[in-house]
Amino acid sequence: MTSHIEDLNPIDAADRPTLDTGLLEEVLLGRWASTRREARAAAADPALHKIEGQTKEEHRRRVFDQLQLLVEKGAVHRAFPSEYGGQDDHGANIAAFEELVTADPSLQIKAGVQWGLFGAAVLHLGSAEHHRRFLPGIMDLSVPGAFAMTEIGHGSDVASLGTTATYDAEAEEFVLETPFTAATKRYLGNAAVDGKDAVVFAQLITAGVNHGVHAFYCHLRDDQGSPLPGISIADDGQKGGLNGIDNGQVAFDHVRIPRTYLLNRYGDVAADGTYSSPIESPGRRFFTMLGTLVQGRVSLTGASVAAAKLGLIGAVTYGNQRRQFNASSPTEEEVLLDYQRHQRRLLPRLATTLALTFAHEKLLTKLDDVFSGADDSDANRQELETLAAAIKPMATWHGIDTLQEAREACGGAGFIAENRFASLRADLDVYVTFEGDNTVLQQLVAKRLLSDYAAEFSDADAGALSRFVVSQAQSTVLHRFGLRRTIQSVQDTGDERRSANWFKQTEVQRSLLTDRCRQMVMDAATALRSAAKLPMKDQAEVFNRNQDALISAAQAHTDVLLWEAFTEALSEIQDTGTRQILTWFRDLYALCRIEGSLDWYLMHGRISTQRARTLTPYVNRLLARLRPFAQDVVDSFGYTSDHVRMEVASGAELDRQEEAQQYYRELRASSAAPLDERVLRQREAAATKKSRRRTA
Amino acid sequence: MTSHIEDLNPIDAADRPTLDTGLLEEVLLGRWASTRREARAAAADPALHKIEGQTKEEHRRRVFDQLQLLVEKGAVHRAFPSEYGGQDDHGANIAAFEELVTADPSLQIKAGVQWGLFGAAVLHLGSAEHHRRFLPGIMDLSVPGAFAMTEIGHGSDVASLGTTATYDAEAEEFVLETPFTAATKRYLGNAAVDGKDAVVFAQLITAGVNHGVHAFYCHLRDDQGSPLPGISIADDGQKGGLNGIDNGQVAFDHVRIPRTYLLNRYGDVAADGTYSSPIESPGRRFFTMLGTLVQGRVSLTGASVAAAKLGLIGAVTYGNQRRQFNASSPTEEEVLLDYQRHQRRLLPRLATTLALTFAHEKLLTKLDDVFSGADDSDANRQELETLAAAIKPMATWHGIDTLQEAREACGGAGFIAENRFASLRADLDVYVTFEGDNTVLQQLVAKRLLSDYAAEFSDADAGALSRFVVSQAQSTVLHRFGLRRTIQSVQDTGDERRSANWFKQTEVQRSLLTDRCRQMVMDAATALRSAAKLPMKDQAEVFNRNQDALISAAQAHTDVLLWEAFTEALSEIQDTGTRQILTWFRDLYALCRIEGSLDWYLMHGRISTQRARTLTPYVNRLLARLRPFAQDVVDSFGYTSDHVRMEVASGAELDRQEEAQQYYRELRASSAAPLDERVLRQREAAATKKSRRRTA
C-alpha cells in the first residue's frame, strides 16, 4: 500500500484503508460531545422544526412558542449563574446553542437574541443587583427583550452610535434620545412584536462630558404590549430569511429611565452625575464592553459549520445514488460523484468543513477559558477576539457557499423545500453581515496582524526592517496569531522526481501557508510605514490603497489557523486508517488553498513553475482517492434523519434507481423490448453493404 | 489628460471625461430598444409586482391573474404567427420577456412556461393543424399548459427519459406510460394547479422500434380541473424561490392520446404505425427537436443580466450615500464606495454586467437570425446553441453572485425584503440549473470546442499535431467559436517601463484571453487523443480525468466571447468621453479575468513574473479611476424607481446622512455640545504636565 500512497495512484478497494466512522464522530463532536448529543436530541423534536412556507406571522408565533419549549427543556440556561438556575458553563452553552440551527435557524437566532445578547448583556455588563432583578424574567422568557445596538446609520462602527443617554442629576434619571432618523435602532430581534424590555446602547453624557457608548436597561412595552410613552416601534417586515424572528425598529423621544438602569459594571454615574469606571482608558473600556459580543461570533461560526454539514450530507448522499449519462457503459449510467467535476465541487468543501470543525473547537475552548475565568487575561481576551474575527467570516461564507453548491449539485431537487438547502441558505445568509460584518472583521484581523508586527519593529530603523524582510529571521511576536514560521523555510528545488511527494509533506504545507501570510503582512507593513508621518487624510488614503491586500493577508492568516487546527487534530487520532484518510483530507484542504493563490506563490518564487504545473493533477488524483470515503465522512457527522430531513438523503433516490434498472434489465431480457432505431439503422446499413457486395 | 490616462494616476475632477448617460442607455438597450421600453413600461405596473411574504397559494393566484393581464396588454404574443395575432418577431419577443423579471421572476418564468415552452413546443414541433387547433387557446391562456420534459430520474440527459409513448395501430392511438417511479415528470410549471394540457416528451415506440424522444400533446385535466383518468398529479410544494409558480409532478398510467397528438414536424407515425422523418439521423433529429429549447437559455441570460443590473443600482447608489468610519476626517465619515475593497466588490461586477449585456445582444441577434429564417442553416443553429450554452452559465451565475454581493454590500439593509436583493436572488437561484444545468452546458461547449479542433486534425498524424502545438499556426476552424487567434502572439518582453501600458492594450488583452482558451483546448485534445482507441469504459475514464480542465477551457472561451462583444461595442460609441470610460470598464473586465487565472499565465510563460506583479496594482488604480463613474453607469441602465423598488436606491439614505451631519454641525456650533471624554483626558493630562513643570 505504501507505494500507492506515495504516487497517489488509485487504490484497489481491497487495499483501501478503513475509516472508523464511530471514532471520527467522537473526534468531531469534540470536548462538548455529551452536551452536543443532548442538544441534538432536543433539536430532533419535530415541535422545534421549521415548517417551510409559513407566513412570517405564523412562523414568528411558532418560534416564540418554541423558545418557551426550550425553557421547559432547560436547554438555554447553561451560561447563566448557578444561583439563578444556570450552570456557569459557557463553552457548553455555545455548543448546545449551535446545534439548534438544525431545527430552525430562526429558533436559534431568536434564542440567541434573548439569552445570548439581551440576557448576556445584563449578565456581563450589569451588576449583581441587575442580575437579581432582571435575570429571572429573562431566563424564563417572561420578559422577552431586544438588544438595541445597531442603528440605521451605524452598524459595524458601534462607537459612532447616535442615540444619547443624558444624565439628569436633578431627577436622577437618564434621558434616552434618538436625535435624528439615522440613529433609529434597527433590525432588532424581539422588537417588532415580543420585546417587553431592551438593552439599549447609547452615548452616555453626564456633566457635559460624553463618556462613549454604554448599555442601559429599558422598558419598551407595557403589560398590554403597547409601546411605552416616547418609544416608537416599527416592524422591519419580511426578510430574506429568518422570518421566524420579529425584527423591528425602535426610536426614543425623551424616554426617562432610572439612573440604576445603567448596566454599570464598566462605567457608573453617581447620583450627582459624577462618572467613574474601573477602566481608565475610554478606548479599552469600550472594547471591553463590546468583548461580550464575541460569543455571538463564536456561535455563528459553529452554527455555520453545522449547516454546511447538513448540506454536504444531502449532496454527497444524493451524489452517491443519482445517476446521469452513460459514458462508460451502454446500459448503466454514472453515479454523479464519480464525475471529476462533481468531486471538485463537493470534496474540497468537505475538507474545509473538517478544518473548520477543528478550528472552531479551538475557538470555543478559548472562549470557555476566557468566560470561565480559567484564563481571562487581557491578552487572552484579545486573542479570542482576533481568532473569532478571523474564523467567523470564513465559516459563515463557507456555510452559505456550501449550501449553495450542494443545492446546485442536486439540480432541480436541490431547489425544492423538501430538501432544505435553499431554506437553510436563505436563513444563514445574514450570518455573513451580522454580529460583525465579515469584511469589517477581516480588517480587524489585518490590523491586529499589522500592530503585532509593528510592535516588534517600533524601534527598528528602516534598515533593520528591510534586513528582516530579506533574512526572514525568527519572529517570536508573530507566534501568537498563527504567524509562527517553520524551523526552516522550504526550498523548492523543483526536483521533478519528488514532485508528487513534495506537496503532501506537512512541513511543506505549513511553510507555504505560513510564509505567505507573513510575507503579505510584511509587504503591507512596508507599504504603510511611509504613511505614518503623513496628515490624517493622506494616511487614510495610503491605508485604503492597501485595503484589499490587507484583507487578503487576513484571509491567508485564516488559512493557516484552519490548517494548524486540522493538523493538530490528526495527531490525536490513533486509528491508522482513519488518520490516513483524514490526512488526505487535510492535504486536500491545504492544496486547494495553495492552488487558489498559486499566482502569489509563483510571483514570489515560493513554488517553481515546473512544480506548480503538477499541483492541479495532484489535487485531481487526491479527489479520486478520497471519493470512496466521502459517504463515511458525512455519516460521521452524527446527524440523524431527524436533523437532516432531506428527501435526497433519505435513500429514496437509490430505490428509484434500482427500480428503473430492474425495469430495463427485465425489458432487455424479454421479447417485448423495442429495438433502438439507431441499432436498426446500423443493421440495415450492414445488410445493404452485404447485399451490395453480393451484387458486386 | 493623455498623460494621466497613460499612467493611470487619479484624474482631477475637472479633467475627467464625461459619460453621456443618455447615449449609454441607448447603447445598452440595443437593437430592440423600443420593445424593451414598451416591456419596461408594462413591467412598471404595480399590478405585476411581486408582493413579498405572500403564501405560495396567494402568490400563485396573483401570478396567474398577472398572466391574464399580460394577454390583455398584448405583451406576450410577439413570437407567434401573425395569422394567430402574433408578430413573428422572435428577437423582440425574448427582449420583452426578459424585462418581466423586474416585476416578478415568478411572473416571468410562468409566462415562459406557458408561451416560451408549452406554446413554443406546439409552434416549433407541431404542424399547421396543431397550430390551428392549439395555439389560440395557448395564446389567450384559456388553456394553461405544462412542458412535461424533466423526470425525477432524468434532467439534463433528455435522450434517456423513461416515459414511453407506444403506438397502438389498431386504435390509432399512442399509449403514454410512466414505467417506473424515476420516470415521473417533475418540477413542471403549471402542473400542480393550472395546467389543462401539456406537451409530453416520451420515447416514441412503434412497430417494435424505439425512435427516441418525441413531443406529444396531451390533456391533463377535465373542465372541472380534475386530473383525467390515468393521470396522477402531485404538487412540488414550497420551493427556494419562484413560489408564484405551481410546479408539480405528473405520471401516466396507460393514458391514450390520438395518433394526431404527436407533434410531428420532425417525426411522424402513419395510421399503420410506419415511422417517417424528414431527418434521417436519429441523433440529429433529436438535437433539432431540442434546439427549440435554446430560446429559454437565451432569455434566462438576458433576465439574469437585468437582475444583476437591479442589484448594482441598489448597491452602487447606497455605496455612494452610506457613510461608515471616519479614517480621513475627525468629523466626516467615508462613503462606502470610497473604500478600495468596496470598489473591488462592485466595480468588476459592473464591468462584467456591461460585457454580458453586449454578449447577450449578439446572442439574441443570432437567435433572431435563426428563428426568423434570416440564417437558419444547421451551422448557424449549432453556433447559436454553443453560444447560448457558453453564455447562459456565465450570466446566470453572475446574476445570483452579483445580487448576493450587492446584498452584502448593503449590510443588514440588504437582507430586508424592502430591498429585494435576497428575494431576487432566491428566485433566480434555479436559473443556474434549469433550462440546461450550467455544468452540463459548459461540458457541451467544451465538447464543441474539442470536436471543432479535432475536425481540423482528423487526418493529421501525431507529428503534425505536435508541430501545430509548437508553431501555433493560424487555425481557421477555430474561428467560429471565438477561438480566432491574434495576428501575432503578444510577446511579454517584461519591459518594466511599459508595464502599465502593456495590460491596457486591446491586442494584448485579446491575445492573452484567446491564447489561453486555445492552449487549454489543445492541451485537453492532446490528453484525450490517446484515449481514442481504448474501450468505451477506459475512454470515459480518460475523459473524466480531464473533465475539470475541459470545463475550465469552456469558461476561458466564454471570457473571450464577452471580451469580444464588449470590444466590438466600444467601436460603435462615437462620443469620446463615453468611449474612454467604457474602454476602462472593458479593461477592468479583461484584467480581472486575467488576474483570476494569473497562475495559468505564469505557468505557461505568457506573462512574466515581473509583469504579473504589476497587474493587481494596475487593477486597483483602474478601480479608483472608475469609481466616480459608477453611479452614471447604473443610471444608464434605464430602470426607473418603478422597476428598482429598493429603499437603498430611493435617496432616503442620503437624506438621513444629511440630517445627521446637520445635527452634529449644529451641536458643535452650540454651547450644548458635550465634551468627548478622550478630549477631556488629553486636556487634563496636559494640565497636569504643565503644573508639574511649574512645580519643578
Side-chain angles (χ1 to χ4, degrees):
Chain A
M1 208 181 79
T2 314
S3 70
H4 285 306
I5 294 171
E6 292 302 307
D7 57 13
L8 264 193
N9 282 337
I11 315 178
D12 291 337
D15 292 337
R16 251 181 234 147
T18 308
L19 193 139
D20 181 338
T21 55
L23 172 68
L24 182 56
E25 185 175 330
E26 280 308 318
V27 169
L28 295 175
L29 281 170
R31 176 169 157 192
W32 288 275
S34 68
T35 305
R36 289 193 187 278
R37 285 214 170 86
E38 264 173 49
R40 289 183 186 188
D45 181 352
L48 297 184
H49 296 170
K50 180 176 182 181
I51 296 173
E52 301 294 340
Q54 283 196 317
T55 63
K56 74 172 187 300
E57 289 74 20
E58 293 163 345
H59 194 184
R60 286 171 173 187
R61 270 193 300 275
R62 180 173 171 85
V63 168
F64 184 80
D65 293 343
Q66 289 171 337
L67 256 59
Q68 210 75 60
L69 276 179
L70 291 180
V71 172
E72 287 162 24
K73 285 173 190 255
V76 283
H77 296 154
R78 291 182 180 85
F80 289 98
S82 48
E83 60 182 300
Y84 297 106
Q87 298 168 27
D88 291 303
D89 194 344
H90 299 274
N93 174 59
I94 299 290
F97 174 71
E98 290 164 359
E99 299 292 342
L100 289 178
V101 78
T102 64
D104 182 351
S106 285
L107 165 63
Q108 188 204 25
I109 298 302
K110 179 124 170 161
V113 168
Q114 176 66 18
W115 296 292
L117 292 173
F118 172 57
V122 171
L123 177 62
H124 295 295
L125 304 180
S127 60
E129 172 59 19
H130 292 126
H131 296 175
R132 193 195 55 72
R133 183 159 174 198
F134 299 127
L135 284 186
I138 293 171
M139 288 173 69
D140 72 9
L141 199 63
S142 55
V143 182
F147 183 78
M149 177 180 273
T150 298
E151 298 174 357
I152 299 181
H154 286 100
S156 296
D157 184 7
V158 176
S160 301
L161 290 178
T163 305
T164 51
T166 309
Y167 185 63
D168 174 354
E170 231 156 289
E172 294 197 22
E173 287 173 336
F174 285 100
V175 183
L176 290 177
E177 179 70 18
T178 303
F180 43 80
T181 316
T184 306
K185 298 292 179 186
R186 219 185 153 180
Y187 319 128
L188 314 179
N190 268 343
V193 178
D194 298 324
K196 282 189 184 163
D197 294 354
V199 168
V200 179
F201 288 81
Q203 306 285 349
L204 188 161
I205 299 166
T206 179
V209 177
N210 181 345
H211 293 276
V213 170
H214 287 64
F216 302 83
Y217 199 88
C218 173
H219 301 299
L220 291 182
R221 288 183 169 88
D222 62 23
D223 290 342
Q224 283 68 50
S226 302
L228 291 165
I231 290 178
S232 337
I233 297 181
D235 194 326
D236 277 329
Q238 198 73 23
K239 302 186 298 292
L242 294 184
N243 280 302
I245 306 169
D246 56 326
N247 294 81
Q249 315 175 18
V250 178
F252 304 91
D253 181 11
H254 285 79
V255 173
R256 289 185 167 266
I257 55 172
R259 179 180 68 91
T260 53
Y261 274 28
L262 166 63
L263 299 178
N264 57 349
R265 178 164 169 196
Y266 296 112
D268 203 2
V269 171
D272 68 354
T274 309
Y275 181 84
S276 62
S277 168
I279 305 177
E280 198 176 357
S281 154
R284 240 194 82 213
R285 187 192 313 142
F286 173 73
F287 286 109
T288 304
M289 283 196 262
L290 253 60
T292 56
L293 281 177
V294 76
Q295 291 185 96
R297 292 172 189 165
V298 174
S299 62
L300 294 185
T301 299
S304 293
V305 178
K309 285 175 181 168
L310 294 183
L312 287 166
I313 291 170
V316 167
T317 306
Y318 189 69
N320 266 322
Q321 297 181 0
R322 176 65 142 79
R323 293 173 179 274
Q324 185 170 266
F325 295 110
N326 57 335
S328 67
S329 146
T331 56
E332 193 165 72
E333 295 162 301
E334 317 293 324
V335 166
L336 291 185
L337 204 53
D338 284 336
Y339 287 105
Q340 187 187 52
R341 184 67 167 196
H342 216 76
Q343 294 164 10
R344 264 274 174 189
R345 294 166 73 179
L346 298 179
L347 299 188
R349 288 178 171 86
L350 191 52
T352 301
T353 302
L354 292 169
L356 275 166
T357 303
F358 298 126
H360 173 262
E361 182 77 2
K362 287 182 74 173
L363 177 59
L364 189 52
T365 299
K366 195 171 273 292
L367 177 138
D368 193 68
D369 284 351
V370 166
F371 282 76
S372 71
D375 179 0
D376 62 351
S377 63
D378 257 21
N380 206 39
R381 278 184 183 272
Q382 280 181 25
E383 277 189 44
L384 169 62
E385 272 168 42
T386 307
L387 207 58
I391 301 179
K392 185 261 183 182
M394 177 82 174
T396 51
W397 272 323
H398 176 72
I400 60 173
D401 166 72
T402 300
L403 287 164
Q404 181 65 21
E405 196 67 48
R407 117 83 191 119
E408 293 183 26
C410 296
F415 195 59
I416 306 293
E418 67 182 10
N419 285 314
R420 296 180 70 211
F421 301 110
S423 168
L424 281 166
R425 195 214 163 281
D427 286 333
L428 266 75
D429 185 343
V430 77
Y431 288 29
V432 307
T433 53
F434 73 5
E435 299 287 316
D437 178 280
N438 280 0
T439 302
V440 175
L441 291 181
Q442 289 185 319
Q443 289 178 74
L444 195 150
V445 174
K447 285 178 184 171
R448 190 63 59 93
L449 292 172
L450 271 181
S451 66
D452 212 36
Y453 176 79
E456 176 79 332
F457 294 99
S458 55
D459 299 327
D461 63 6
L465 185 64
S466 74
R467 273 198 303 282
F468 176 86
V469 174
V470 173
S471 71
Q472 301 190 2
Q474 177 80 19
S475 156
T476 49
V477 138
L478 295 172
H479 261 234
R480 224 191 313 151
F481 299 119
L483 279 183
R484 61 179 70 90
R485 67 190 304 279
T486 46
I487 306 307
Q488 193 182 343
S489 260
V490 166
Q491 293 300 317
D492 182 359
T493 58
D495 183 342
E496 270 301 300
R497 285 166 304 171
R498 293 194 180 172
S499 279
N501 289 335
W502 195 73
F503 281 120
K504 63 170 243 189
Q505 293 170 49
T506 299
E507 287 313 310
V508 167
Q509 292 173 13
R510 185 196 306 276
S511 178
L512 288 174
L513 292 170
T514 308
D515 287 359
R516 174 161 181 258
C517 177
R518 202 172 60 244
Q519 185 65 51
M520 289 173 89
V521 172
M522 289 195 290
D523 288 350
T526 307
L528 295 176
R529 284 187 88 254
S530 61
K533 282 158 197 159
L534 296 176
M536 182 177 182
K537 195 175 165 56
D538 298 332
Q539 225 176 81
E541 202 184 301
V542 173
F543 197 86
N544 193 35
R545 277 208 300 270
N546 289 281
Q547 192 191 26
D548 205 59
L550 282 166
I551 290 175
S552 299
Q555 285 167 338
H557 170 62
T558 312
D559 291 348
V560 175
L561 293 177
L562 266 64
W563 182 89
E564 286 190 339
F566 205 149
T567 303
E568 281 173 32
L570 291 177
S571 67
E572 283 163 31
I573 298 173
Q574 302 303 323
D575 178 69
T576 316
T578 306
R579 191 174 60 239
Q580 175 61 75
I581 295 161
L582 268 280
T583 303
W584 288 332
F585 271 105
R586 193 277 318 263
D587 294 350
L588 183 63
Y589 167 75
L591 299 182
C592 286
R593 301 317 288 183
I594 292 166
E595 201 183 26
S597 42
L598 192 52
D599 56 343
W600 189 94
Y601 289 102
L602 285 160
M603 284 189 283
H604 290 77
R606 306 297 171 108
I607 298 179
S608 72
T609 302
Q610 221 178 4
R611 176 99 64 198
R613 295 180 75 149
T614 69
L615 178 56
T616 292
Y618 187 85
V619 170
N620 286 340
R621 291 197 301 278
L622 201 47
L623 290 171
R625 165 152 298 192
L626 282 170
R627 184 253 171 276
F629 306 107
Q631 192 70 49
D632 284 344
V633 173
V634 300
D635 289 347
S636 305
F637 290 156
Y639 289 109
T640 69
S641 57
D642 292 325
H643 305 109
V644 181
R645 307 193 304 278
M646 297 181 177
E647 201 269 351
V648 288
S650 68
E653 179 60 26
L654 192 62
D655 295 343
R656 287 193 294 265
Q657 294 286 346
E658 281 173 358
E659 183 199 355
Q661 285 176 45
Q662 178 70 11
Y663 167 83
Y664 284 120
R665 265 195 302 272
E666 286 173 9
L667 189 66
R668 281 194 299 272
S670 79
S671 57
L675 191 64
D676 189 296
E677 184 190 331
R678 284 166 299 187
V679 178
L680 181 71
R681 288 184 177 275
Q682 284 162 6
R683 285 191 196 166
E684 285 172 352
T688 311
K689 211 170 172 185
K690 209 169 168 187
S691 92
R692 272 207 201 117
R693 238 184 261 146
R694 223 176 283 153
T695 318
Chain B
M1 206 182 79
T2 315
S3 70
H4 286 307
I5 294 170
E6 291 303 307
D7 58 12
L8 267 193
N9 282 337
I11 313 178
D12 290 338
D15 292 336
R16 251 180 233 147
T18 308
L19 192 139
D20 181 340
T21 54
L23 172 69
L24 182 55
E25 183 174 331
E26 279 308 319
V27 168
L28 295 175
L29 281 168
R31 178 170 157 191
W32 288 276
S34 67
T35 305
R36 287 194 188 276
R37 286 214 170 87
E38 268 173 48
R40 288 182 187 190
D45 182 351
L48 298 183
H49 296 170
K50 179 175 181 180
I51 297 173
E52 301 295 340
Q54 284 195 316
T55 63
K56 75 172 188 300
E57 289 73 21
E58 293 163 345
H59 195 186
R60 284 171 174 187
R61 270 194 300 275
R62 180 173 171 84
V63 169
F64 185 80
D65 293 343
Q66 290 171 337
L67 256 59
Q68 209 77 58
L69 276 180
L70 291 179
V71 172
E72 286 162 25
K73 286 174 189 255
V76 283
H77 295 153
R78 292 180 179 87
F80 289 99
S82 49
E83 61 183 303
Y84 296 106
Q87 300 169 27
D88 292 303
D89 194 343
H90 298 274
N93 174 61
I94 299 291
F97 173 71
E98 290 164 0
E99 299 292 342
L100 290 178
V101 78
T102 64
D104 182 351
S106 285
L107 165 63
Q108 188 205 24
I109 298 303
K110 179 123 171 164
V113 169
Q114 176 66 14
W115 297 294
L117 292 173
F118 173 57
V122 171
L123 177 62
H124 296 295
L125 303 179
S127 61
E129 173 58 19
H130 293 126
H131 296 175
R132 194 194 56 71
R133 183 158 174 197
F134 299 126
L135 284 187
I138 293 172
M139 289 171 70
D140 72 8
L141 199 63
S142 56
V143 182
F147 184 77
M149 178 180 272
T150 298
E151 297 174 355
I152 299 180
H154 285 98
S156 296
D157 185 7
V158 176
S160 301
L161 291 178
T163 305
T164 52
T166 308
Y167 185 63
D168 174 353
E170 232 157 285
E172 294 197 22
E173 287 173 338
F174 285 100
V175 183
L176 290 177
E177 180 70 17
T178 302
F180 43 79
T181 316
T184 305
K185 298 292 179 186
R186 218 186 154 180
Y187 318 127
L188 315 178
N190 269 342
V193 178
D194 299 323
K196 283 189 183 163
D197 294 354
V199 168
V200 179
F201 289 82
Q203 306 284 351
L204 188 161
I205 299 165
T206 179
V209 177
N210 181 346
H211 292 277
V213 170
H214 287 64
F216 300 84
Y217 199 88
C218 173
H219 301 299
L220 292 182
R221 287 184 169 88
D222 62 24
D223 290 341
Q224 282 69 50
S226 301
L228 291 165
I231 290 179
S232 335
I233 298 181
D235 194 326
D236 276 329
Q238 197 74 21
K239 303 187 298 291
L242 294 184
N243 280 303
I245 306 170
D246 55 325
N247 293 81
Q249 315 176 18
V250 178
F252 305 92
D253 181 11
H254 285 80
V255 174
R256 289 186 166 265
I257 57 171
R259 178 180 66 91
T260 54
Y261 273 28
L262 167 64
L263 299 178
N264 58 350
R265 179 164 166 195
Y266 296 112
D268 202 3
V269 171
D272 68 353
T274 309
Y275 181 84
S276 63
S277 167
I279 304 176
E280 199 176 354
S281 152
R284 239 195 81 213
R285 188 192 311 142
F286 172 72
F287 284 109
T288 305
M289 284 196 265
L290 253 60
T292 57
L293 281 178
V294 78
Q295 290 184 98
R297 291 173 190 166
V298 174
S299 61
L300 294 186
T301 299
S304 294
V305 177
K309 286 176 180 166
L310 295 182
L312 287 166
I313 291 170
V316 167
T317 306
Y318 189 70
N320 267 320
Q321 298 181 359
R322 176 65 141 81
R323 292 174 181 274
Q324 185 170 265
F325 294 109
N326 57 334
S328 66
S329 148
T331 55
E332 192 165 72
E333 295 162 301
E334 318 292 324
V335 166
L336 291 184
L337 204 52
D338 284 336
Y339 288 104
Q340 186 186 53
R341 184 64 167 198
H342 216 76
Q343 294 165 9
R344 264 277 173 185
R345 294 166 73 178
L346 297 180
L347 299 187
R349 287 177 171 88
L350 191 52
T352 302
T353 302
L354 292 169
L356 275 166
T357 302
F358 298 126
H360 173 261
E361 182 77 1
K362 288 182 73 173
L363 176 61
L364 189 52
T365 300
K366 195 171 273 291
L367 176 139
D368 194 68
D369 285 351
V370 165
F371 281 76
S372 71
D375 180 359
D376 62 350
S377 63
D378 258 22
N380 206 39
R381 279 183 183 273
Q382 280 181 25
E383 277 189 44
L384 169 62
E385 273 167 42
T386 307
L387 208 56
I391 301 179
K392 185 261 182 181
M394 177 81 175
T396 51
W397 273 323
H398 176 72
I400 58 173
D401 167 70
T402 299
L403 287 164
Q404 180 65 23
E405 197 67 46
R407 118 83 193 118
E408 292 182 25
C410 295
F415 195 60
I416 306 293
E418 67 181 11
N419 284 316
R420 296 181 69 210
F421 301 109
S423 167
L424 281 166
R425 196 215 163 280
D427 286 334
L428 265 76
D429 184 344
V430 75
Y431 288 30
V432 307
T433 52
F434 75 3
E435 301 284 317
D437 178 280
N438 281 359
T439 302
V440 174
L441 290 181
Q442 290 185 316
Q443 288 178 76
L444 196 150
V445 173
K447 284 179 184 171
R448 191 63 58 90
L449 292 171
L450 271 181
S451 67
D452 212 37
Y453 176 80
E456 176 81 329
F457 295 97
S458 55
D459 300 327
D461 61 6
L465 186 64
S466 74
R467 271 197 304 282
F468 175 87
V469 173
V470 171
S471 72
Q472 301 191 0
Q474 176 79 22
S475 156
T476 50
V477 137
L478 296 173
H479 260 233
R480 227 191 311 149
F481 299 119
L483 279 184
R484 61 178 72 89
R485 68 190 303 278
T486 45
I487 308 304
Q488 195 182 342
S489 261
V490 166
Q491 293 300 319
D492 182 359
T493 58
D495 182 342
E496 270 299 302
R497 286 167 302 169
R498 294 193 180 174
S499 279
N501 290 335
W502 196 72
F503 281 121
K504 63 170 245 188
Q505 293 171 51
T506 301
E507 287 315 310
V508 167
Q509 292 173 14
R510 186 197 305 278
S511 176
L512 288 175
L513 292 170
T514 308
D515 287 0
R516 174 162 181 258
C517 175
R518 202 171 60 244
Q519 186 65 50
M520 289 172 90
V521 172
M522 289 195 292
D523 288 350
T526 306
L528 295 176
R529 283 187 88 255
S530 61
K533 280 158 196 157
L534 297 176
M536 182 176 180
K537 196 174 164 55
D538 298 334
Q539 228 177 78
E541 202 184 301
V542 173
F543 197 87
N544 194 35
R545 277 206 299 269
N546 289 280
Q547 191 190 27
D548 204 58
L550 282 165
I551 289 176
S552 299
Q555 285 167 336
H557 170 62
T558 313
D559 291 347
V560 175
L561 293 177
L562 265 64
W563 183 89
E564 286 190 339
F566 205 150
T567 303
E568 281 173 32
L570 291 177
S571 67
E572 282 163 33
I573 298 174
Q574 302 302 322
D575 178 68
T576 318
T578 307
R579 191 174 60 239
Q580 176 59 75
I581 296 160
L582 269 279
T583 303
W584 288 331
F585 271 105
R586 193 277 318 263
D587 294 350
L588 183 62
Y589 168 75
L591 299 182
C592 286
R593 302 316 288 182
I594 292 165
E595 200 183 27
S597 42
L598 192 52
D599 56 344
W600 189 94
Y601 289 103
L602 286 161
M603 283 190 283
H604 290 77
R606 305 297 171 109
I607 298 179
S608 72
T609 301
Q610 220 178 5
R611 176 99 65 200
R613 295 179 77 149
T614 70
L615 180 56
T616 291
Y618 187 85
V619 170
N620 286 340
R621 291 198 301 277
L622 201 47
L623 291 171
R625 166 152 296 193
L626 282 170
R627 184 254 172 276
F629 305 107
Q631 191 70 49
D632 283 344
V633 173
V634 300
D635 289 347
S636 304
F637 290 157
Y639 289 108
T640 68
S641 57
D642 293 325
H643 305 109
V644 180
R645 308 195 301 281
M646 295 179 177
E647 201 269 351
V648 287
S650 67
E653 179 60 25
L654 192 62
D655 295 343
R656 286 193 295 265
Q657 294 287 345
E658 283 173 356
E659 183 199 355
Q661 286 176 43
Q662 179 69 14
Y663 167 83
Y664 284 120
R665 265 194 303 271
E666 287 173 9
L667 189 66
R668 280 193 301 271
S670 78
S671 58
L675 190 66
D676 189 296
E677 184 191 331
R678 283 166 299 187
V679 177
L680 181 71
R681 287 183 178 276
Q682 284 161 9
R683 287 190 195 167
E684 287 172 352
T688 310
K689 216 171 170 184
K690 212 172 164 182
S691 92
R692 270 204 205 121
R693 240 183 262 147
R694 222 175 285 156
T695 318

